[in-house]
Amino acid sequence: MTIAYGGDYNPEQWPEEVWAEDMRLMQEAGVTMVSIGIFSWALLEPAEGVYDFTLLDKVLDLLRQHGIQADLATPTAAPPAWFFRAHPEALPVDRDGRRLSYGSRQTFCPSSPAYRTAALRIAGELARRYAGHPAVAMWHIHNEYGCHNPACYCDESAEAFRVWLRAKYGDSLAALNEAWGTAFWSQWYYDWAEVLPPRATGAVPNPTHQLDWRRFCSDALLALYKAEREVLREAAPSLPATTNFMVMFNFDALDYWRWAPELDVVSNDHYLRSTDPESEIDIAMSGDLVRSLAGGRPWLLMEHSTGAVNWQLVNRAKNPGELRRNALAHVAHGADGIAYFQWRAAKAGAEQWHSAMLPHAGTDSRIWQDVVQLGADLRALAEVRGSTGTASVAVVWDWNARWALELPSQPSEEVRYLDQVRSWYEPLWRSGIAVDFVRPDADLSPYRLVLAPSLYLVDDTGAANLSDFASSGGTLAVGFHSGAVDENCHVRLGGYPGAFREVLGVRTDELFPLLPGESLALSSGGGTASLWSERVALAGAEAVTSYAEGPLTGIPAVTRNAYGEGTAWYLATRPDPTTLAGLLDLIRREAGVEPVRVTPEGVEAVLRRGADADYLFLIDHAGEGAEVPVAADAVELLTGERVSGGSVSVPPGGVAVVREPHRS
């Protein structure tokens, strides 16, 4: 088995005579699997209950004849126009009360009974027809759940929300009123029919109402996924099913910790942000989070781009070598499959300017040359398949905390969850420190160091779990404005940082967020602090650095506390990047955490561990090349050459993948 390679294949967009060329070129590129049928509902079911599988029959047979597997999709992300003419009530309604029209994709209400019935019907027809087809290796359910319709505010959604709330609160309005704090602003509910989605209103909506709404919307889409999966399992119990997550910079609609256990294979889509000068960090962070969602097991990259996308303000092409570095970085962080949107660049439609494996320019193009080279690279890395990560550092990630932090009326709207997590992840990445992501209530025993950069919301179980980790000998580091509220967004009284006061050995009585562009000098190392400050009083901890100016002069900004058998650090501000990197380096050294490999600046080092060997990925993002020490009996897999002299050469802007014996 090799690492899977391919992309979305949309033959319905092209005349049949093109398909034979597609097969020939897929073989030339080394394609092993394509996703098919994702947006084909209107062709497969031209009228309600009327089916035409002629095209799909032909294409699946062609794929089988050419040794290419199919990830066969249920086409439910794009209902046809005839469906909406028959069921206009299935169209989504925004929070301002406007009903949207069809004419794009994902324009349906997730709580619509009519949509659910139609989606399960077409999924069932596909399952019964193709469950035994030799080309079909996996089911691809829907596509990018919640990408365009994470929430609908219609009356059917309101009723579904009430059903969800009644289940959560044991059919008790008193419990809901307590959890939501409805005594504030006379929001008390006396009848379930009074409870609505958080539609547009005159002032700031109730924060717990909004948080429960986010939870409900994630669960409503998850229920659709599970319903389609069960239909497919009934026809083909042994065929794995997946759907493509979007663990990337611009999507936060779904709680993937709840979703991941329902997937047979965890898959992800990832695209670069054109304005990010170091998007390789986002690739690494996304890959580590997806691997963690997969329980440490390998995962599939279902979509990324060979070059430019089509949906940002400016859509840049990738630089020379970037396509290869991006793809192999995903493999380094746990992907056992690399796929693109899409196989052949579209000549019409909303995504006609989105790059593809076979670009508009055809095979006489740099993209095509890179695609063919990548296919050869992935074949050379076949033995890496199935290997896993090696992290001893965990970063706490929680979608509930993210949603709650970014609700309105916070002490500072400048504090954003993803920014905080990335600011801590980045210096670890630069130092070659392997990282897993975990839920607050996860088993932390495999780790030496646990970081909680931004955990505004945490329940008692999660808070106790993190505190117990430190008490048992681990090192815990917590970022500012963490532990502030419980799972219902109720402030934890008695002083900040709420749930973590004891383990951190500090108590804050007042918060002093900083204005945009404002900074304060710190007392040691010449560093500065920005974004946030607070009046911290020591309650057992020691000050590591303090504010050297402003109203909090002399007040601790970073503290360290001996707690049980371990240590707990508190960063009560955002230090400048150099200072933060130095602090995290100090913390991880104290915890006994070492890098995967010491490399020159700009060379990423990632380790995957197989049953019989370690696989060291070295990726040169700086473009200068490097010599990196490796085992004397190592083999560089991309060239097949044995390493001599105890070091491997990483080409400028290139990649080396080295097989080594297991290190202790």
Side-chain angles (χ1 to χ4, degrees), residues 330-503:
H330 284 293
V331 176
H333 289 273
D336 270 4
I338 296 295
Y340 290 97
F341 181 84
Q342 58 182 323
W343 162 250
R344 184 182 282 270
K347 65 178 180 180
E351 295 180 301
Q352 66 191 54
W353 291 109
H354 195 294
S355 61
M357 299 176 77
L358 184 60
H360 293 140
T363 57
D364 184 17
S365 62
R366 189 188 74 195
I367 282 182
W368 177 252
Q369 294 166 8
D370 289 347
V371 162
V372 173
Q373 176 61 56
L374 180 59
D377 289 339
L378 296 177
R379 287 193 298 274
L381 298 180
E383 66 181 83
V384 173
R385 183 182 173 118
S387 57
T388 58
T390 60
S392 59
V393 176
V395 174
V396 180
W397 178 286
D398 185 67
W399 273 274
N400 282 268
R402 181 176 184 176
W403 295 336
L405 177 68
E406 296 178 0
L407 291 172
S409 299
Q410 282 286 328
S412 172
E413 293 188 1
E414 295 294 312
V415 179
R416 288 178 287 271
Y417 185 87
L418 188 60
D419 292 346
Q420 292 308 110
V421 176
R422 175 160 163 169
S423 71
W424 285 41
Y425 177 89
E426 181 176 328
L428 299 173
W429 176 85
R430 292 190 189 281
S431 298
I433 304 299
V435 168
D436 286 342
F437 286 87
V438 294
R439 299 165 53 122
D441 60 353
D443 176 12
L444 302 178
S445 59
Y447 305 105
R448 294 175 179 267
L449 171 62
V450 172
L451 308 175
S454 185
L455 199 58
Y456 169 68
L457 177 151
V458 64
D459 63 16
D460 290 345
T461 300
N465 188 49
L466 294 167
S467 297
D468 289 347
F469 168 76
S471 178
S472 300
T475 299
L476 174 68
V478 177
F480 63 82
H481 207 31
S482 292
V485 300
D486 65 14
E487 66 274 18
N488 293 320
C489 264
H490 293 195
V491 173
R492 294 180 178 273
L493 303 179
Y496 320 117
F500 299 120
R501 287 197 308 268
E502 180 181 343
V503 66

Side-chain angles (χ1 to χ4, degrees), residues 18-236:
V18 174
W19 303 350
E21 181 187 37
D22 286 334
M23 297 299 112
R24 178 180 64 80
L25 292 176
M26 284 182 190
Q27 289 186 314
E28 181 179 332
V31 167
T32 64
M33 184 173 71
V34 294
S35 297
I36 189 166
I38 293 175
F39 297 117
S40 299
W41 193 344
L43 298 180
L44 300 178
E45 190 180 7
E48 184 171 351
V50 177
Y51 302 99
D52 183 356
F53 294 109
T54 306
L55 182 149
L56 204 49
D57 287 345
K58 289 180 179 179
V59 173
L60 286 172
D61 287 344
L62 271 176
L63 292 171
R64 176 186 58 80
Q65 292 165 18
H66 290 82
I68 300 169
Q69 294 182 319
D71 173 32
L72 180 57
T74 61
T76 53
W82 62 255
F83 169 77
F84 290 116
R85 289 186 65 200
H87 300 285
E89 77 283 1
L91 287 164
V93 173
D94 69 15
R95 71 186 299 267
D96 293 318
R98 299 175 299 177
R99 190 172 293 277
L100 305 183
S101 179
Y102 60 89
S104 59
R105 62 179 182 177
Q106 289 188 334
T107 49
F108 63 86
C109 165
S111 298
S112 164
Y115 168 79
R116 183 186 179 101
T117 297
L120 297 186
R121 185 177 63 237
I122 185 66
E125 291 293 329
L126 279 167
R128 289 184 287 274
R129 187 175 187 89
Y130 296 114
H133 195 288
V136 177
M138 184 166 62
W139 298 118
H140 184 307
I141 299 176
H142 199 79
N143 186 72
E144 295 182 336
Y145 275 101
C147 181
H148 302 288
N149 61 340
C152 172
Y153 295 80
C154 73
D155 289 341
E156 285 183 334
S157 296
E159 180 56 33
F161 184 38
R162 288 189 285 268
V163 170
W164 184 90
L165 290 169
R166 295 179 83 146
K168 177 176 181 180
Y169 292 107
D171 207 24
S172 169
L173 267 174
L176 179 140
N177 281 312
E178 174 63 25
W180 286 16
T182 55
F184 186 80
W185 277 0
S186 188
Q187 294 174 341
W188 196 272
Y189 297 106
Y190 291 95
D191 191 297
W192 284 104
E194 296 167 1
V195 181
L196 298 172
R199 295 167 176 162
T201 187
V204 178
N206 183 308
T208 317
H209 184 179
Q210 295 177 83
L211 181 60
D212 268 350
W213 174 250
R214 296 293 298 263
R215 292 162 170 160
F216 158 74
C217 291
S218 178
D219 282 357
L221 288 165
L222 178 57
L224 290 176
Y225 168 82
K226 290 165 68 174
E228 287 196 36
R229 182 199 62 195
E230 293 310 305
V231 168
L232 299 172
R233 279 184 177 172
E234 185 176 345

Side-chain angles (χ1 to χ4, degrees), residues 320-321 324-325 620-626 649-655:
R324 186 173 186 244
R325 290 195 303 275
D620 177 28
H621 301 290
E624 298 179 359
S649 295
V650 185
V655 181

